[in-house]
Amino acid sequence: MSLAPERSLGFAGASNFRDLGGYAGAGGLPVRWRRLFRSDHLAGLTPQDAQQFQRLGVTRVFDFRGEQERAAVPYDLPGVTQHALTIEPTVVQRMKDLLDAGETITPERTVALMQQTYRGFVHDNADRFAELFAHLLADDAPLVFHCTAGKDRTGFAAALILLALDVPRPVVMHDYLLTNAFYRMPAAHDSRAPREVLQVLWRVQEDFLNAALDIVEQEDGGVRGYLSRQLRVGEAERQRLQALYLAGA
């Protein structure tokens, strides 16, 4: 019996780079390994990381970072096509605005800001997630999707993909929370923010993802309704995704 591949690729320059393979989806069939990767940004890959990345056979990367984020930390990977699926960051800017106004930022207030951001993903950014699914449906060539930390924009995208493959929600949440095990928090962007606030900002909580999924349930009748109405992924498209990305389908 062969061992499953490692979920985390262990890159020195992208701590949150990991594989979505192995989770049981529709009919109990596992998500194929080495097809769907989620990550923090790829600009910090070391030469050794880049060699390992090349061996994965990835030919397309989907970047959810905002325009300034991409411009500040660009990257170029040989043989890889980059697709910009721009979702501008909001939480850090909101916190900066509040600090500039002399407001006190608490962990509780940061949680509320994070939940607000996730709720915004659902409809404000649906077109970007629809674009990702269109590429997923086109072919099953190995791909990576990422933002800056690979935890929020990327986390919601990963949840949608796994849910479309009928991976159970508790398992989806487990994958989402793995960020807390792998991601290395960067140096503080604003020294005025207390460390306990930064711990909320640079980690993930069930309350964050649930804030988005609760909106999906309330306003679109559940994940299947949201996929169909907002992302143009109906029953036929879900079956194609499962044929492409579930082993043995």
Side-chain angles (χ1 to χ4, degrees), residues 92 185-195 197-199 201-202:
V92 172
M185 190 173 74
H189 288 282
D190 195 323
S191 60
R192 295 174 296 170
R195 180 165 180 79
V197 166
L198 295 175
Q199 286 289 342
L201 183 65
W202 292 108

Side-chain angles (χ1 to χ4, degrees), residues 76-149:
D76 183 39
L77 297 168
V80 176
T81 301
Q82 296 182 36
H83 301 270
L85 304 181
T86 304
I87 298 176
E88 294 296 342
T90 56
V91 172
V92 172
Q93 185 60 49
R94 285 176 185 152
M95 289 183 64
K96 184 178 183 300
D97 291 343
L98 290 170
L99 289 167
D100 289 344
E103 299 276 352
T104 299
I105 305 298
T106 64
E108 293 76 17
R109 193 165 191 179
T110 308
V111 168
L113 287 171
M114 294 299 296
Q115 290 175 308
Q116 182 181 353
T117 293
Y118 274 72
R119 293 186 188 103
F121 292 157
V122 177
H123 293 126
D124 295 347
N125 303 118
D127 286 349
R128 302 289 80 78
F129 298 114
E131 288 182 61
L132 176 63
F133 272 94
H135 285 283
L136 288 168
L137 286 161
D139 65 73
D140 64 350
L143 64 89
V144 181
F145 55 97
H146 75 87
C147 50
T148 291

